[in-house]
Amino acid sequence: MAGVWSPSSMAGNKSNSTAVSSSVTNKASNTSANTSDNSDDVPPAAGEPKTVKTADLDQLQKQLNDIKQQVSTTLKDHQLSVLNNQAIDVASQADSYMAILLPNLDQINTQLDVVGAKPVDGTLQESPEVTKKRNGLKADKAATEKQLDYAQTLKTTAINLSKQIVELRRSSLKTQLALDAGSILNARFWAPIFNPQQDDVDKFHNFCYQIRDAWQTAWQPEAFWGSLSLMLLAVAIWFGGRRLLEKGLVWFSISAFPDGRLRRSFLACATAIVTVVAITGGANLIYLVFARESELTPLVQSFANSMLALTTFSALIAGLGRSLLSIQRPSWRLMALPDAIAHSLRRYPAAMAIILMTFGTIEQMNSVIGTSVSSTIFGNGISSLLMGLLVWSATLRTNKVRRNVKSVGGHIDSRSTISGLIHLTTTLVSLTVLFALLIGYIPLARFLTYELVWFAIVLSCLYLLTKFVGDMIESLFSEHSASGRWIKQAFNLDSRYLEQATILFSAASYVLLILFALIALLNGTYGSTTPMTILDKVIEIMGSDSFGKINIVPADVFNAIICMIGGLYLLRSARRWLSNKFLPKTAMDTGMRMSIVTLFSNIGYVLLILITLSVLGIEWNKLAWIVSALSVGIGFGLQEIVKNFISGLILLTERPVKVGDLISISGVEGDIRRINVRATEIQLTDKSTVIVPNSQLISQNVRNVTMGHAQGVVTIPLTFPLDIDPEQVRGILLQAYAEHASILDTPAPSVTFSQLAPDGITLSVTGYVTSPRIIKVTKSDLLFDILKRLRAANVKLSSPQSLVVQNIPPDIAVAYSDNSQKESE
């Protein structure tokens, strides 16, 4: 996640060896004249050559080993700085020993030349003293050469170790956010300005000489007019060409697009693109001024490439600010931003781009020429300080403008939830940057600053592109546009299909744009992120074995948290979009729509978990222990949960019951309101809810009352005395059914003579209604109407008391009747 200004942030590291070597040579030249045998307490006599003992070199080797061991266990920057100085001292001491050994070796060779070679013809006889002298000189030469090689090895090893320490310190500035590099209030932080290191000065002068040579070559008489033309053309593009292009875009948007939102979104995107093209195009012309006549040196070429990338991002910041604020055309502004706040922020995007360009240039120069770590820390700290102050000032200014407008009685819209969240986050990050600089955590401040700028760039681009793509698709499929009318006529589509196409293509475009934005946020850097690199990253994620490793690091955890939060937000937004926008435009019923939304949510959560684990760096074949634990858990207590989960998936796919159906199971009858992962919610007529496990809906007998658009049947059985006229009663019942509004004409109502018994006649009247849900209400209304009609026709129903009288002997029945009449009198 760490952002860097350009991909060449580590360029120029080869020059570190030159820096260390020059430092060692300088120190050696200062110390070689004073170096003596460290093991001798008595200095050599005047005129006597200095000597170096092997024990001295062994002592340097021991010091070098100690430094290596400390480097491997040290994480603090100031300790690494001390170890770097010690390594340079070791190299300097080894160089001073070499300065002693080389003259000694030359002196030995001279003496050997004086002594001469050993006679080979045997005619000459030399004295034993000469032979002994020659053998001694040869032994001294071999020992001196061995010591010289030893010293050279120590010097080379010490120089390489110093380079490794420098690289370690540089990488620590980017990877170790908790690295304490010293407060900006510390004098050590300002040392590169007031007390720069000589190596840095030499490297800077060398770089300036190369720039000067390239400048002089570009303005040679034979290249003068070409360079002048390119320079004037670049200035014309910067100051005049951009304005002309923007005026042409305004005319084009008005003439080419119909009146609507597409004009505004197109002009906003085009304004940002034109700003980037104009500024970057001018920068490339300036580059051609230097590079067209002669090949640039590697240092200058690397610096030029970094500057071109830095110019592009600086121009993008300025262009996004101009397009989003839209100071010159407030009515075309995409964002719901009050004019007062937009005018108060008009200078901040340009100021941010200037700071990025200025201090990014310093950082790139430090990286290219390989300056000291202290200079790098200084550049990072100053850029983070100015950027943090600028962002904090912008948040304070917006608050001040709002207070001023309200104090004079003006009206200004309150912030939306997203705007308030962005404002709060920006304020907290800027304050954190300033606090980190004060307490000495410059790498953390640099990281937060660069990430804040990078997030602002990516999210602003995402906002502009989503607006433009959404407006373009809406205009493309609109019935009021020529393209929409042509599509409708060419494919003979209904209007609702055009609406569905608009919603579907807009959603697909938003998903792709958000995917690219997430990849850019999680994996992008300032100078290395392009549309092609983002596309390559998508392909890498889709086809890589990112599940094949378990390597959890803090950055991956941070990315996984962002992925989880963003995924949950996107999943819930997509679910709302499906249930509220897209599916209502289709011909699906409510139950089918709810099933699709639920199934989409379940699949989405599973995919989100898989993607989060992938970002975290977890390999699936390394999760065998989790699978084993789950298998044991399923065997003991999770089998019901798994069974209900699988049953829920079956219910959502086969749909024997769906949301909205009226079902009856185990004596429970009600409407299905929701099918969850584990259980189904059934709402009864009294609005209470019964939770039924999904497995019961699969394994038990379920009566689906409303499946297949079933009609309701209203049947009322009535018992009459034996002395009634059945035809008269039949007519009354059919008339009552026929006149009720809820009874269907087809199938027609009917009366069935269901039973004839000594205790009476039972007639059943039957009619059909549109839905089983209205059976109870219709039956109640019919009973009221039928009883009223029967009473008007003087037709009585058989009562339980009269039935009992009909079933007893006649004499007892007469006595019972007389007693009942007396009791009534």
Side-chain angles (χ1 to χ4, degrees), residues 811-822:
D811 53 347
I812 299 177
V814 171
Y816 180 81
S817 177
D818 293 340
N819 291 334
S820 299
Q821 185 176 1
K822 291 180 180 179

Side-chain angles (χ1 to χ4, degrees), residues 289-342:
V289 171
F290 297 95
R292 64 189 179 88
E293 290 295 334
S294 62
E295 185 178 356
L296 300 178
T297 62
L299 282 181
V300 177
Q301 183 64 52
S302 178
F303 179 72
N305 294 335
S306 303
M307 291 303 300
L308 290 176
L310 187 60
T311 303
T312 301
F313 281 95
S314 300
L316 183 58
I317 292 175
L320 290 174
R322 297 184 69 254
S323 62
L324 292 176
L325 296 179
S326 187
I327 301 298
Q328 297 179 355
R329 285 170 287 273
S331 60
W332 290 48
R333 187 179 299 134
L334 290 179
M335 301 177 63
L337 192 65
D339 289 339
I341 295 181

Side-chain angles (χ1 to χ4, degrees), residues 362-374:
I362 297 175
E363 181 174 352
Q364 290 306 318
M365 185 172 61
N366 290 334
S367 177
V368 167
I369 67 178
T371 56
S372 61
V373 177
S374 59

Side-chain angles (χ1 to χ4, degrees), residues 157-203:
T157 305
I159 291 175
N160 293 334
L161 180 59
S162 178
K163 290 193 298 183
Q164 294 175 5
I165 294 175
V166 170
E167 293 302 322
L168 185 61
R169 294 182 65 192
R170 288 183 181 275
S171 62
S172 298
L173 294 177
K174 298 178 181 179
T175 59
Q176 297 182 16
L177 302 183
L179 181 65
D180 186 2
S183 172
I184 60 174
L185 302 179
N186 195 335
R188 187 180 66 177
F189 175 80
W190 300 94
I193 295 295
F194 300 102
N195 187 23
Q197 298 183 16
Q198 186 61 38
D199 291 340
D200 293 344
V201 175
D202 295 339
K203 293 175 184 178

